[in-house]
């Protein structure tokens, strides 16, 4: 009986899987810190960033208007 409890005590924490929260249309992952190969573009919540591969982040192709006037 003690052996069964020991085995369960050791294996149950290994079996538990934390659920990964997806973001950015399922292309990103919510994390506290992004990996070196990832960037964050939006926040998942107050404490987590949406870490995304840079190839999925949109690039602003419009020229910036530095004078502030509109034509």
């Amino acid at each position: 009986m003690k052996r069964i409890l020991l085995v369960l005590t050791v294996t149950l924490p290994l079996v538990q899987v934390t659920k990964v929260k997806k973001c950015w249309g399922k292309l990103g992952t919510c994390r506290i810190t992004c990996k070196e190969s990832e960037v964050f573009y939006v926040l998942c919540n107050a404490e987590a960033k949406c870490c995304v591969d840079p190839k999925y982040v949109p690039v602003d192709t419009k020229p910036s208007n530095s004078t502030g006037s509109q034509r």
Side-chain angles (χ1 to χ4, degrees), residues 18-60:
T18 57
K19 218 168 189 194
V20 176
K21 186 175 179 186
K22 291 294 201 173
C23 57
W24 200 261
K26 297 186 181 180
L27 297 173
T29 307
C30 294
R31 294 193 187 108
I32 302 293
T33 306
C34 295
K35 295 178 182 177
E36 282 188 30
S37 62
E38 298 173 329
V39 295
F40 88 92
Y41 191 68
V42 295
L43 295 173
C44 291
N45 55 38
E47 56 197 35
K49 302 171 186 174
C50 182
C51 300
V52 184
D53 190 317
K55 67 181 177 184
Y56 298 121
V57 177
V59 178
D60 187 15

